[in-house]
Amino acid sequence: ECASYAYEEFNSLLSNSPVPVYCTPGDNEWNDCPSPDQAWTNWMTYLGKYDTQYWDKPSLYTVQRQKGQGENFAFVHHRVAYIGVNMVGGFLHDQDEWNTRHESNLRWIRNRVEKYYENVEIVVIFGHAEPNSSNDNFFTTLAEYITDWDVVTIYMHESRTEMQLSSNFKNVQQFLLMAVQGGIWPPARVYIDTAKNRIRINQNNWHLEAP
């Protein structure tokens, strides 16, 4: 469990993707492991900055990383801001670390959205953990930010159940939650049409369809 070969196998699994793959940490490969410190080393070795390992530097957008927390990333493509943050569920080892990381994630999100504000119509935030009592402060503060921005913001997270898209989270109309089922193939394909203000999820066999 959480052995280095498991990270190496996952590293190889998506290496032939025609588009770059961006990874965010999950509890199963970090804080729920028998040795979280070694697990984090494995994650950073095989999955940290994964998008730079098999693909050329993108020509249509610039990927930025948070200083001191390089697993967090952000870029804008076709007027959509994509922001990845280290939001894990699972076992809480250190409350101070948990709080500090959540605060750092919030600073990163706010800084990126304010920087991109004039050039984006939708913000998509990737994190592993679903909203719960252990991270409520993070989502409450994020909801306050979204109220100020008045930009549609989707928080996408892993779920053990079927995919689901819900709106009006924290009573903020522009705050959407998107749950995608983990551990199955193919991964979810999400279509965002800013021109028609439409979002669609496909977690069926879309990879077998003709282009």
Side-chain angles (χ1 to χ4, degrees):
E1 187 175 274
C2 301
S4 60
Y5 72 81
Y7 301 82
E8 188 173 5
E9 287 179 356
F10 187 86
N11 177 287
S12 176
L13 178 66
L14 298 176
S15 62
N16 290 323
S17 169
V19 295
V21 176
Y22 300 85
C23 296
T24 59
D27 47 70
N28 290 332
E29 63 265 15
W30 179 29
N31 53 308
D32 282 355
C33 291
S35 176
D37 290 343
Q38 182 59 51
W40 184 248
T41 298
N42 290 337
W43 194 93
M44 290 299 294
T45 300
Y46 293 103
L47 301 177
K49 299 183 181 179
Y50 185 61
D51 55 290
T52 67
Q53 296 186 35
Y54 298 102
W55 300 272
D56 294 333
K57 186 177 180 180
S59 60
L60 298 179
Y61 57 89
T62 301
V63 180
Q64 297 175 314
R65 299 273 177 178
Q66 184 177 14
K67 185 177 180 180
Q69 200 168 329
E71 69 274 20
N72 288 358
F73 63 85
F75 60 90
V76 175
H77 190 44
H78 293 317
R79 298 191 64 80
V80 179
Y82 299 94
I83 303 173
V85 291
N86 184 346
M87 284 292 297
V88 294
F91 189 75
L92 199 168
H93 292 272
D94 184 334
Q95 185 68 62
D96 289 339
E97 184 280 329
W98 200 268
N99 294 340
T100 299
R101 178 164 39 82
H102 288 182
E103 291 169 1
S104 178
N105 290 340
L106 287 166
R107 285 194 302 271
W108 176 243
I109 293 168
R110 182 164 190 167
N111 179 276
R112 292 303 89 192
V113 173
E114 290 179 351
K115 179 179 177 63
Y116 301 148
Y117 190 78
E118 299 297 328
N119 299 308
V120 301
E121 298 179 29
I122 294 178
V123 175
V124 179
I125 300 171
F126 301 99
H128 180 78
E130 63 183 355
N132 56 47
S133 58
S134 69
N135 56 34
D136 186 65
N137 287 342
F138 170 87
F139 287 101
T140 297
T141 303
L142 182 58
E144 294 171 357
Y145 292 172
I146 296 169
T147 300
D148 292 338
W149 298 330
D150 196 28
V151 174
V152 172
T153 301
I154 306 168
Y155 176 79
M156 187 181 299
H157 65 89
E158 186 268 348
S159 173
R160 291 182 176 86
T161 58
E162 62 184 13
M163 58 187 178
Q164 183 177 2
L165 177 64
S166 56
S167 59
N168 202 39
F169 183 57
K170 293 287 186 181
N171 295 315
V172 177
Q173 184 177 2
Q174 304 282 59
F175 197 173
L176 284 68
L177 292 182
M178 182 180 295
V180 294
Q181 189 172 357
I184 65 172
W185 188 266
R189 186 173 191 175
V190 179
Y191 302 82
I192 299 177
D193 188 336
T194 56
K196 297 181 180 179
N197 196 27
R198 184 167 60 188
I199 301 168
R200 183 164 60 93
I201 314 173
N202 184 353
Q203 201 157 15
N204 297 317
N205 291 324
W206 55 264
H207 63 303
L208 301 178
E209 300 172 0

